[in-house]
Amino acid sequence: MNRRSVRPALVAAVAALLALDAGAAPSLAAQVPTGRVVGRIIDVGTGQGLSDVGVQVVGTTLGAMSGVDGRFTVANVPAGTVSLHVRRLGYQAKTVTGLVLSASGTVEQNIGLEAATVQLQALEVTAASERGTVNEALDTQRNATGIVNAIGSEQIARSPDSDAAQAVQRVSGVSVQEGKYVFVRGLGERYTTTSLNGARIPSPEPERKVVPLDLFPSGLLQTITTSKTFTPDLSGDFSGAQVDIRTREFPARRQFSYSTTVGYNTAATGKTLPYSPSAGGEWLALVGDRRDLPGAVQRFGNFRASEPSQFQTNQMINSFRDVWAAREQAGRPNSSFSASVGGNDPVLGQRLGYLLSASYAYTQETQSDAIRALADRGSRPGETVEIDRFEGDVGRASVLWGGLLNLSTLLGARTRLAFNNTYNRTSDHEARTEVGTFEEVPDTFRIDRLRYVERSIHSTQLIGEHELGSRNRIDWSATLSGVTRVEPDRSEIVYQFTPDPMTGGTIPRWVNTSNQGAVRTFGDLSENSFEGQANYRLSLGDVGRQQVVKLGALFRSTDRDADTRSYSINSPGLADDIRALPPEQLFDGRLTTPTSAVLRLDPLFQGGAYSARDHLIAGFGMTELALGDRLRAIAGARVEDSRVRVDAAPTLGSTSTIRKHYTDVLPSAALIYKLSESQNVRLSGSQTLARPEYREQVDILSRDVLRGDNIRGNPNLRRTLIQNADLRWEWYPNVGELVSVSLFGKHFDQPIERVYRAVSGSRVIQYVNADAAENYGVEVELRKGLGFLSPRLSPLTAFTNATVMHSDITVGNSEASVTNDKRAMVGQAPYVVNAGLTYTTESGRSSATLLFNRVGERIVDAGEAPLPDTKEQPRNVVDLSLRFPLVGAVSGRFDARNLADAPFKIQQGTVTREGYRTGRIFQAGLSWRP
């Protein structure tokens, strides 16, 4: 009997067993308590779920066949200690013993099968050891077609990380800038893309198309997978990495959980901090329209259509919130809570998996002893001197809350449908007060800035998975997602300390003649996206040497609208005694009565509006070929057709339209050689691209008020093409252990850089296409249990990853005013180091994790000739996390973050452009999971 005839016979035999089970189950259930056994059958070699696997409860006629993605359910299993026997043609049979099933309960057991080229005796393992072999995060890395790094919910739970941005920086070669933007292998966020459950996430940032990962609470995460090499089934617009965030899936049995924490920041909690008065709703990141641009101002827009009368000007000034100066208050403790319920229950005769989860966190932050300054050339070549130095403090109250509702069901054994819904919201309420001097004026100045930023992101996704027999599979998804970013009513007020002839001292007076003396800014951004994709997978050949063909298509449509408006209040000739009034008295209406002609209101050139329409159509084909027992080849190509239209309306000047259309073929090829059962060597080459962000292409001027830079877009920007090469050796010596070494190299054709433009007058930053750039480096990763040194050290696991890299960029002929025509790329760090040590008890209920991170010096802004580049300095970050049981289902946690409290510092030559400390954070919490 050949294999083709054995397979139908096996299926028929298992079906007969199921038929017997159907008739026997009612009488059996009436005699003894029963429960359910659920799980997945996984091909250990590929990580793919296996359908058509026979699963039988040993000693009974109960059984099932695995269906879509290897999922199986065996119902009416007698409670007690259970053994499962699993068998599929071409795989080594396995018996899993020691499953403990309670009455009316559910036990989940995933099982890995290995391909068998010859007939082997069935393997017997315990349930505990089998759970250890199905290590999701490391299996994802080992079985991926490309080079990936993954962290799972277990690793996240043992760290003090509160959001995805903190969690992902534990990945090899990953660093996070400003606490939210991901840099991979030293490349900036331009070369990294982010997806949620496999679908692209829109960006809530007006200046760049990047997703701040602090939007995603860690309690809602299942895995974070970082793909560092391109394969045709991935979007082609990345070179550093594609970060895919997967939200939690439903548990096999009904579960409830609740957790809460309270925290203390040594620099903020109980300390006197500047704060911004509330309008209402800030604690929920829901201020509504209380901070919106007043209707009286909005009607006049940029004043181009008609010039308002003095009476109308007074009305508009009166319509602003009369809040300008920072107040002081004691910093509050940090706090958070989360709750979730999930399970798998019958609904209208259909089993439905579900997970409902919500979380909320309030954080009080500070930048203490904050310094900012500008650098100027000195008297000697290469010398830098400090100018415009300001010192002060920053207080910030941050809110992050989110929720998800995920549903899933099986339609028969061959179809799975999932409905995923995610909503997250965050806000930063900030006050900054600082005192300093300007180079051209000998007096001292005080600047107060009040700022509130509110962001949200939502995603609704329908997913289908269909097994069309054992060799054919189709999966598809349709996703609606959107983001908003609102920065309403940012205020800036400047006072000058001038001599007081009465006292001989100084007195603060409002700077009434400058366009920057009193400014209100309103920013609003929304982006909505639809993405649909479908993939087909065909498996050919025998088990162990299967050939796989994958075809797929994607369509994505994105609409973005952004509008920023700034207004300056000034009053030339205002008397000194009036200028000495506090700002809340200056603008309380006494100078803007119906007959007053004292104050002026002018729209500022910074800002404007733009709308972007982005359509992407892509298709790919790829094949995975087994070239023998040890060698696997992956090859294919992706075609992407991108059409972008951006309409820009600057505050001053005429409107403009930018249209870009590119069709790119992106090939990829890789070889994976299996040195042994636990070792792989990977070699890959590909071409990817990076497209300009919407804002970078529009001729609208914006202003970085802290650094004093004006930023202008460039309509002539072109997309960047990148050639990538990677070589990696990886070894998985034991469960949960990894040793790997990777080499990578990249060539950039016309990379986009942020540089100073050679113009007279004020400093202008613009985006330009440089000629070319190179990026190359080495990554080393190690995760190893220490039991080999001594049995007493068995509970300890050490892990570290280090990336050393180098880049060279040639700016070439452009309008840039650069100090170095050849230098490292902006954002390029020469090294990134992560290290840690974890202690875990045998039961797994107690753990302690010590973490370390250091990122090398990297360029923030390319220097404006003859000044040197502006660079962020290295700092050591040390975190500690403890988890321990308390009473019953209650466990405790203790986290300590930023224990070194190393200063954040941005340096230009010998001048500190920006510097501050954030304090050490300690938090304790309780979790209840019955």
Side-chain angles (χ1 to χ4, degrees):
M1 181 180 294
N2 60 32
R3 292 186 176 184
R4 294 184 180 272
S5 60
V6 169
R7 179 180 176 79
L10 178 61
V11 174
V14 175
L17 288 175
L18 293 178
L20 289 173
D21 172 42
S27 59
L28 183 64
Q31 298 172 14
V32 296
T34 62
R36 293 188 312 134
V37 180
V38 302
R40 287 181 67 208
I41 309 298
I42 299 169
D43 185 323
V44 172
T46 66
Q48 300 290 329
L50 290 174
S51 60
D52 294 330
V53 178
V55 181
Q56 183 180 4
V57 179
V58 176
T60 75
T61 58
L62 301 173
M65 296 292 291
S66 65
V68 60
D69 205 24
R71 292 176 173 84
F72 71 89
T73 299
V74 185
N76 301 318
V77 179
T81 302
V82 176
S83 297
L84 296 180
H85 184 72
V86 294
R87 181 185 296 274
R88 186 179 190 268
L89 184 66
Y91 288 87
Q92 184 176 4
K94 180 178 288 188
T95 300
V96 180
T97 63
L99 281 78
V100 179
L101 179 63
S102 60
S104 301
T106 299
V107 63
E108 183 175 9
Q109 181 66 51
N110 296 334
I111 303 170
L113 292 184
E114 296 187 19
T117 55
V118 297
Q119 185 65 36
L120 297 174
Q121 184 178 358
L123 181 67
E124 183 172 313
V125 298
T126 65
S129 63
E130 184 64 14
R131 277 192 289 269
T133 61
V134 186
N135 186 313
E136 183 176 5
L138 289 184
D139 275 358
T140 298
Q141 295 182 204
R142 179 171 56 187
N143 298 315
T145 54
I147 295 177
V148 306
N149 290 91
I151 55 175
S153 56
E154 181 181 2
Q155 293 167 269
I156 296 172
R158 290 179 179 173
S159 74
D161 302 328
S162 59
D163 56 56
Q166 296 172 13
V168 77
Q169 66 183 341
R170 313 298 179 190
V171 172
S172 175
V174 172
S175 58
V176 176
Q177 194 173 53
E178 300 178 35
K180 61 185 74 172
Y181 304 121
V182 173
F183 283 54
V184 180
R185 290 177 168 176
L187 297 173
E189 72 272 10
R190 176 185 310 282
Y191 303 104
T192 299
T193 61
T194 306
S195 59
L196 179 66
N197 296 319
R200 181 66 57 87
I201 307 175
S203 169
E205 297 299 318
E207 305 296 334
R208 41 193 170 179
K209 195 169 59 178
V210 61
V211 178
L213 295 189
D214 62 341
L215 274 169
F216 301 94
S218 59
L220 305 183
L221 306 181
Q222 181 73 25
T223 59
I224 303 176
T225 302
T226 306
S227 301
K228 296 179 180 177
T229 58
F230 168 69
T231 53
D233 54 346
L234 300 176
S235 291
D237 55 342
F238 79 90
S239 179
Q242 175 176 286
V243 179
D244 185 35
I245 300 170
R246 297 279 172 173
T247 54
R248 293 168 54 193
E249 296 185 0
F250 61 89
R253 57 186 179 277
R254 190 178 305 160
Q255 292 181 358
F256 300 90
S257 67
Y258 177 83
S259 64
T260 183
T261 65
V262 61
Y264 173 83
N265 185 321
T266 58
T269 309
K271 302 295 194 300
T272 301
L273 301 177
Y275 86 97
S276 175
S278 298
E282 285 86 354
W283 69 280
L284 270 178
L286 290 168
V287 299
D289 59 0
R290 288 178 282 262
R291 289 174 171 265
D292 283 355
L293 179 67
V297 184
Q298 192 171 13
R299 283 192 295 272
F300 278 93
N302 56 14
F303 298 2
R304 286 189 300 183
S306 62
E307 188 75 20
S309 66
Q310 184 63 54
F311 174 78
Q312 292 168 324
T313 295
N314 292 341
Q315 282 187 318
M316 287 189 284
I317 294 174
N318 288 337
S319 67
F320 290 127
R321 291 173 63 237
D322 191 22
V323 177
W324 294 88
R327 316 292 203 272
E328 289 186 342
Q329 70 175 8
R332 292 169 48 188
N334 301 333
S335 60
S336 70
F337 73 86
S338 64
S340 67
V341 57
N344 190 305
D345 294 319
V347 177
L348 300 176
Q350 178 74 27
R351 295 207 70 89
L352 181 70
Y354 59 91
L355 176 66
L356 176 63
S357 185
S359 65
Y360 175 89
Y362 174 89
T363 305
Q364 190 84 56
E365 301 171 321
T366 186
Q367 295 177 5
S368 60
D369 304 322
I371 299 171
R372 69 175 184 90
L374 296 179
D376 200 0
R377 71 189 72 182
S379 57
R380 295 188 300 272
E383 183 183 29
T384 54
V385 295
E386 182 183 75
I387 62 171
D388 298 355
R389 178 186 175 95
F390 281 80
E391 299 178 4
D393 292 289
V394 179
R396 182 185 300 117
S398 297
V399 169
L400 170 62
W401 62 268
L404 64 84
L405 172 61
N406 290 351
L407 306 173
S408 178
T409 190
L410 293 175
L411 301 179
R414 298 292 186 178
T415 295
R416 173 179 177 263
L417 295 179
F419 187 51
N420 298 328
N421 301 271
T422 304
Y423 185 85
N424 294 322
R425 197 169 188 93
T426 183
S427 69
D428 294 313
H429 198 198
E430 179 181 291
R432 175 187 293 264
T433 180
E434 54 190 7
V435 176
T437 59
F438 292 106
E439 179 188 23
E440 64 272 13
V441 182
D443 295 332
T444 300
F445 292 80
R446 187 187 74 227
I447 303 175
D448 284 16
R449 292 188 175 94
L450 308 181
R451 182 172 180 254
Y452 175 80
V453 179
E454 191 175 281
R455 298 174 295 174
S456 73
I457 182 167
H458 66 85
S459 175
T460 297
Q461 183 181 60
L462 181 63
I463 297 175
E465 301 174 5
H466 310 276
E467 294 277 2
L468 309 177
S470 61
R471 296 182 178 274
N472 298 270
R473 173 188 172 91
I474 293 176
D475 63 80
W476 55 267
S477 66
T479 307
L480 288 172
S481 58
V483 296
T484 62
R485 183 187 188 275
V486 181
E487 187 177 0
D489 204 15
R490 183 180 74 201
S491 69
E492 300 153 34
I493 189 81
V494 183
Y495 272 69
Q496 181 179 5
F497 290 84
T498 57
D500 183 0
M502 301 293 293
T503 64
T506 59
I507 186 170
R509 292 184 171 91
W510 173 45
V511 178
N512 60 311
T513 58
S514 168
N515 274 341
Q516 303 299 322
V519 177
R520 302 302 276 255
T521 301
F522 300 82
D524 195 355
L525 177 147
S526 65
E527 180 172 319
N528 293 288
S529 179
F530 169 77
E531 179 174 298
Q533 57 178 314
N535 302 295
Y536 170 73
R537 176 188 174 98
L538 171 64
S539 300
L540 303 170
D542 297 330
V543 173
R545 296 191 62 176
Q546 282 193 345
Q547 323 299 322
V548 177
V549 176
K550 293 179 70 175
L551 304 172
L554 175 144
F555 171 77
R556 182 166 61 241
S557 176
T558 302
D559 293 335
R560 166 181 281 212
D561 293 287
D563 190 358
T564 300
R565 303 188 186 187
S566 291
Y567 299 89
S568 169
I569 304 175
N570 53 76
S571 179
L574 191 65
D576 284 352
D577 59 334
I578 301 298
R579 291 173 55 212
L581 293 173
E584 282 75 15
Q585 295 182 26
L586 274 173
F587 306 113
D588 65 359
R590 69 184 65 190
L591 303 180
T592 50
T593 64
T595 59
S596 297
V598 179
L599 299 181
R600 293 175 49 187
L601 182 68
D602 297 309
L604 296 180
F605 63 88
Q606 304 103 341
Y610 72 91
S611 61
R613 305 292 178 260
D614 188 348
H615 297 277
L616 177 72
I617 299 175
F620 76 87
M622 60 182 291
T623 182
E624 300 177 32
L625 303 175
L627 306 177
D629 295 334
R630 295 181 177 273
L631 183 62
R632 197 155 51 111
I634 301 99
R638 184 180 186 90
V639 179
E640 293 195 349
D641 184 85
S642 170
R643 298 171 186 264
V644 177
R645 170 176 172 155
V646 184
D647 297 298
T651 302
L652 302 175
S654 58
T655 60
S656 61
T657 297
I658 298 98
R659 290 184 175 89
K660 299 290 175 67
H661 179 202
Y662 296 107
T663 300
D664 294 290
V665 178
L666 307 173
S668 170
L671 292 174
I672 303 175
Y673 184 74
K674 193 173 185 179
L675 291 173
S676 67
E677 291 301 317
S678 59
Q679 296 185 65
N680 293 324
V681 174
R682 301 174 182 267
L683 174 65
S684 66
S686 64
Q687 177 164 288
T688 56
L689 54 83
R691 300 184 181 95
E693 317 300 2
Y694 305 132
R695 176 62 181 80
E696 295 172 352
Q697 302 178 73
V698 298
D699 193 14
I700 292 178
L701 198 67
S702 60
R703 182 172 176 80
D704 185 335
V705 295
L706 288 183
R707 296 183 181 174
D709 292 325
N710 295 310
I711 305 171
R712 184 180 292 278
N714 180 2
N716 297 318
L717 281 182
R718 296 179 54 83
R719 56 97 171 88
T720 303
L721 292 177
I722 308 132
Q723 291 79 47
N724 312 276
D726 291 84
L727 175 65
R728 173 176 166 126
W729 168 77
E730 55 192 23
W731 178 35
Y732 301 86
N734 294 297
V735 174
E737 296 184 346
L738 166 67
V739 181
S740 71
V741 179
S742 303
L743 303 175
F744 61 88
K746 302 177 185 297
H747 172 78
F748 298 79
D749 180 26
Q750 293 190 314
I752 300 171
E753 284 285 282
R754 188 175 187 263
V755 300
Y756 284 98
R757 187 181 178 190
V759 297
S760 59
S762 61
R763 298 149 53 96
V764 176
I765 287 178
Q766 192 167 37
Y767 300 93
V768 301
N769 285 111
D771 281 354
E774 310 286 342
N775 174 273
Y776 48 90
V778 58
E779 286 180 339
V780 178
E781 185 172 7
L782 171 66
R783 177 178 291 271
K784 178 68 177 173
L786 301 185
F788 72 98
L789 297 175
S790 168
R792 294 184 178 182
L793 299 180
S794 296
L796 291 174
T797 299
F799 51 93
T800 184
N801 57 72
T803 305
V804 179
M805 50 219 151
H806 178 79
S807 69
D808 288 305
I809 187 167
T810 303
V811 177
N813 296 323
S814 70
E815 295 181 347
S817 173
V818 295
T819 303
N820 301 312
D821 184 58
K822 288 194 174 183
R823 54 166 171 77
M825 300 172 70
V826 171
Q828 167 74 68
Y831 64 85
V832 177
V833 177
N834 292 302
L837 184 67
T838 293
Y839 170 85
T840 308
T841 59
E842 186 175 352
S843 67
R845 297 191 64 193
S846 297
S847 66
T849 302
L850 183 67
L851 299 166
F852 171 82
N853 169 262
R854 182 179 174 91
V855 180
E857 182 181 75
R858 55 186 170 188
I859 296 176
V860 177
D861 289 314
E864 180 184 20
L867 296 174
D869 300 323
T870 302
K871 299 179 180 180
E872 181 180 336
Q873 300 302 301
R875 56 193 298 264
N876 297 327
V877 180
V878 180
D879 300 327
L880 173 67
S881 181
L882 307 177
R883 302 292 184 269
F884 45 88
L886 291 175
V887 178
V890 179
S891 59
R893 63 181 292 175
F894 174 79
D895 297 321
R897 291 176 50 200
N898 195 34
L899 286 173
D901 195 19
F904 175 87
K905 187 181 292 186
I906 293 179
Q907 198 115 358
Q908 188 171 20
T910 59
V911 175
T912 299
R913 291 287 306 272
E914 187 176 354
Y916 56 83
R917 292 180 183 269
T918 58
R920 300 174 176 88
I921 301 172
F922 302 93
Q923 66 179 27
L926 298 174
S927 296
W928 174 69
R929 181 172 293 179

